[in-house]
Amino acid sequence: MSTYIKFIAPYASMIPVIEECASEVEGIEVSIEVGNMDKGAQIAKQAEREKYDIIISRGGTAHLLRHVTRIPVIDVTMSGYDILRVLMMTHEFSETKALIGYPNMLSGAQAVIDLLDLSVDLFTIDSIDEIEQTVYEARELGYQVVIGDVGTVESAKRHGMEAFLIQSGRETIFSALEEARASDIFFKWNFSRADMLSKIIQYQDHDVMVIDENGDVLFEAWHSFDHCPLSDLELAQIPANIDFKYLVNWRYYIKGHQQIDVKVEHFNHEGVFYFLLHFTHHDEILNQLDWVEQFSMKQKPTVIAESDAMQAVMRVIQNGTENHQLFFLVGETGTGRGLLAHYIHYLSWSGKTLLEVDLSRCQFEYLDELLSPEVGTIYLRHLSQMPADRYHLLGRFLRKAINHDKHIVISVNESVVDRFDTQLIDQSIEIFVPPLEDRPEDFKGLVTLFAAYFHQHFGTSVMKIQSDVIEELKRYEWRGHARELKSFLKSVVLAENGYVLKYEHVKKYLQEKYSTQSTSVYQLEGTLEDIEYQVIQSVLEEENYNQSKAAKRLGINRSTLWRKLKQN
C-alpha cells in the first residue's frame, strides 16, 4: 500500500532534490507544490480534502500547518550539515553576520559556530510574528548579512540587507521522506488494530490500566481484581514519581494484609506521556526487604580500562569468571567496585537478576530468600559495617549460595579472606581495584564517559573537552577516586552552558574545591546539626548522590533526609 505525500516546499529550488530523493524511496507517491506560510496552509487544506496521508514541509511553514490540518505533518529538520554549508559559504564575507531562527535550529548552529570558532551572532525568534522586528533590530545594530529560513531571508531583502537561505540538503529531505513512509505505516497499523487489541486485552488474564500524566484512566481490564485496587490519589502520584531514565518502574502497595506490585511502563505519544500499569498480587518476601535492590542488565556496563592497572583487573575478571563463584573486590571507596560487580554479573548471568545487598542493615534470617532461580549474582556491600559476630552466618550463606550456582561479589576496603574457612578461600578470587592515581591513562575515557552520561541524562551542553582539561584533572588528588571525579564533573557541566569544556572553567572550579577542603566531613567540627549535615553529605557521596540509598543507609526516610538537607 502506497503512502500519498503532499510535499509543500517553501522555495522552488528544493523541488529537484525532492524529486531525486523521492525516486529512491519505495512505497511512496509524492506530489510537490511550492508555498510558504499562508499559501502553504491553503495547499495543506486542499491536501486534506484530497485524502493525502502525510504532509511534509519545513520550518515555520511546517509549524503553521500542524495548526490548520489533521493530516500528520513531517518537518524537514535543518541538520548540522545544512547549517554548516551556509556558514562555510559565508565565512569569507567580512561583513557582520546574523543567524536568525527558531531555538531548535539555533541549538545545532551554536555547536557548529563554537567548534569552528566562526564569527556569526545568533538571534532567536519564537514565532513568525517576530521575524520582521528581529531583522530590523539586527540592521539597526549594524549587521549587514542575514542567514535564515525563507521568511527571514525575504524580510532581510526588504530591509536592503544581504541574505542567505539555509537550504535543506539531500540527506534531510531523504530522511523526511523515509520518516513519512514509516509514520504512515505506523498510523495505519495502529488505527486499524486499536479496537481489535482493546477487545483482545479484555479476554486476557491480565490486570492492566493505562493512565495519562494526570493519573486519569484511559483504559482498564481486570481479571484477578474486581476493580483498581489503588485510590485516585495513589494513581495520580504515579506519573509524578516516575524515573524516566528507566523504561520500567516498580511500585508496591500494602492493602490490608496483601502486597500489590505495580509494574509501570511509560511511553510517549505525540509529545504526551502515558503509563501502562500491570497489577499483580505478590507474596514474595524479597520485595519487602529494604536492604536488597534488584537489577536487570539491559546492556554491557562500560568499564574504562586503558591503563595497565585496569587492564590487569579486566584480565583477572575475564579469566576468573570461568572457574570461580566468589569474588572479593578489594579497593578504596569510589574506585568503581560496584560497576565491576555489574560487569562480572553481565559476563555470567546477564539474563538473570542481580541483587545488591547492604550488609550493614541485613536481616540474616532472610538471606535464604535471595537464592531464587531468577537470581544470578548477589553483590554484598558494606561488609566493614557488618557486626563481627555475623561472619559465621555470612560464611554459611556463601557456601549455600555457591551450591545454588550463584556468583557472589563482595566489595571490601582491605583483604578479608582470612576471616573465612579454607573451602571458601579455595573457591574465591581477590581482585585488587586500583586507586584513580594509578590510572592516569583512564582519565580521558572516564571524563568523556561521565560527560556523555550527564548529557544523556541531564541535558547538559558540554560536547567537547579540551585536552589540557584532562591534564589538569590528573594533577588533582582525588581522594574519592572515580566517584569524586564524577561528582565534580557533574557540578561543572551543570554550571556550564557552552558546548566546549575549557581549561579556565575547570581550573576555576578546582580552585574552589581546593578552598573548601578544610570543611571535609571527616573533621566533624561545629554544632551537632553541622556534624549531622556533614555525615549526610558523606553518605550521599558514597551512594553517588542517590537520596533513596542514602536515606536507607542512615535509617531515615527520604522526606526526612530532604528536610535535613534543606535546613542547612
Side-chain angles (χ1 to χ4, degrees), residues 290-544:
D290 63 358
W291 40 273
V292 178
E293 288 194 74
Q294 305 179 57
F295 295 88
S296 297
M297 301 300 293
K298 302 298 183 183
Q299 60 186 26
K300 184 178 182 179
T302 301
V303 180
I304 303 300
E306 295 296 323
S307 64
D308 291 340
M310 278 305 295
Q311 286 181 12
V313 167
M314 301 306 286
R315 285 194 298 270
V316 174
I317 291 176
Q318 292 284 351
N319 297 327
T321 51
E322 296 179 4
N323 303 305
H324 297 80
Q325 290 178 254
L326 177 58
F327 304 85
F328 289 93
L329 294 175
V330 185
E332 298 178 33
T333 300
T335 51
R337 294 170 300 175
L339 177 64
L340 292 176
H342 284 243
Y343 186 84
I344 291 171
H345 171 71
Y346 182 87
L347 291 181
S348 304
W349 296 113
S350 60
K352 292 193 174 186
T353 300
L354 165 70
L355 299 182
E356 283 195 10
V357 177
D358 183 352
L359 289 175
S360 67
R361 298 184 298 116
C362 172
Q363 298 167 281
F364 279 75
E365 61 270 26
Y366 292 115
L367 273 178
D368 287 352
E369 299 293 337
L370 310 183
L371 302 178
S372 65
E374 295 77 22
V375 175
T377 303
I378 302 172
Y379 175 39
L380 305 176
R381 304 165 59 236
H382 305 135
L383 178 66
S384 62
Q385 300 175 38
M386 185 186 74
D389 61 356
R390 297 301 178 94
Y391 267 89
H392 72 285
L393 295 176
L394 178 60
R396 186 172 65 185
F397 169 71
L398 294 179
R399 288 190 292 274
K400 185 178 292 188
I402 290 172
N403 291 334
H404 280 74
D405 201 27
K406 309 299 181 191
H407 276 180
I408 308 295
V409 183
I410 305 177
S411 63
V412 292
N413 295 116
E414 58 185 12
S415 179
V416 294
V417 293
D418 59 341
R419 302 185 187 183
F420 297 98
D421 58 42
T422 303
Q423 180 185 0
L424 282 176
I425 294 175
D426 290 342
Q427 293 174 298
S428 71
I429 183 170
E430 287 187 296
I431 302 170
F432 295 92
V433 185
L436 190 59
E437 63 191 26
D438 292 344
R439 306 171 54 188
E441 299 88 349
D442 293 336
F443 264 79
K444 181 177 181 180
L446 287 169
V447 173
T448 303
L449 178 65
F450 295 155
Y453 176 87
F454 298 138
H455 178 71
Q456 290 291 316
H457 291 80
F458 303 110
T460 53
S461 301
V462 172
M463 297 170 58
K464 181 180 178 181
I465 299 170
Q466 291 182 341
S467 58
D468 52 359
V469 167
I470 306 297
E471 296 305 315
E472 180 63 18
L473 292 173
K474 288 181 183 179
R475 287 191 284 269
Y476 186 83
E477 181 183 359
W478 299 98
R479 290 178 292 180
H481 305 287
R483 182 182 296 169
E484 183 183 4
L485 175 63
K486 183 178 181 180
S487 176
F488 171 77
L489 285 171
K490 180 180 179 181
S491 299
V492 172
V493 298
L494 283 173
E496 291 298 321
N497 294 323
Y499 292 87
V500 179
L501 186 58
K502 299 180 179 179
Y503 170 82
E504 55 265 30
H505 298 160
V506 173
K507 183 68 174 177
K508 179 187 69 173
Y509 290 114
L510 281 173
Q511 289 173 345
E512 293 175 357
K513 186 173 176 64
Y514 273 119
S515 67
T516 59
Q517 287 297 312
S518 60
T519 62
S520 168
V521 298
Y522 301 105
Q523 295 180 6
L524 299 180
E525 297 177 351
T527 66
L528 179 61
E529 289 78 14
D530 293 335
I531 295 172
E532 181 183 64
Y533 179 72
Q534 294 172 40
V535 172
I536 290 174
Q537 288 293 339
S538 177
V539 174
L540 272 172
E541 183 176 347
E542 289 186 9
E543 296 295 349
N544 204 19

Side-chain angles (χ1 to χ4, degrees), residues 117 243 277 302 324 331 543 560:
D117 195 24
D243 189 340
L277 315 181
T302 301
H324 297 80
E543 296 295 349
T560 302

Side-chain angles (χ1 to χ4, degrees), residues 243-338:
D243 189 340
F244 286 91
K245 292 184 295 185
Y246 304 103
L247 179 60
V248 175
N249 286 248
W250 285 91
R251 295 291 180 268
Y252 309 102
Y253 302 87
I254 302 298
K255 299 293 181 179
H257 299 289
Q258 173 68 49
Q259 176 174 310
I260 297 171
D261 294 354
V262 182
K263 182 172 76 170
V264 185
E265 298 176 88
H266 58 83
F267 57 95
N268 187 302
H269 180 64
E270 295 184 352
V272 179
F273 274 101
Y274 298 91
F275 305 87
L276 175 62
L277 315 181
H278 302 257
F279 294 77
T280 56
H281 296 282
H282 206 98
D283 297 322
E284 294 181 6
I285 198 167
L286 183 61
N287 291 317
Q288 301 176 30
L289 305 177
D290 63 358
W291 40 273
V292 178
E293 288 194 74
Q294 305 179 57
F295 295 88
S296 297
M297 301 300 293
K298 302 298 183 183
Q299 60 186 26
K300 184 178 182 179
T302 301
V303 180
I304 303 300
E306 295 296 323
S307 64
D308 291 340
M310 278 305 295
Q311 286 181 12
V313 167
M314 301 306 286
R315 285 194 298 270
V316 174
I317 291 176
Q318 292 284 351
N319 297 327
T321 51
E322 296 179 4
N323 303 305
H324 297 80
Q325 290 178 254
L326 177 58
F327 304 85
F328 289 93
L329 294 175
V330 185
E332 298 178 33
T333 300
T335 51
R337 294 170 300 175

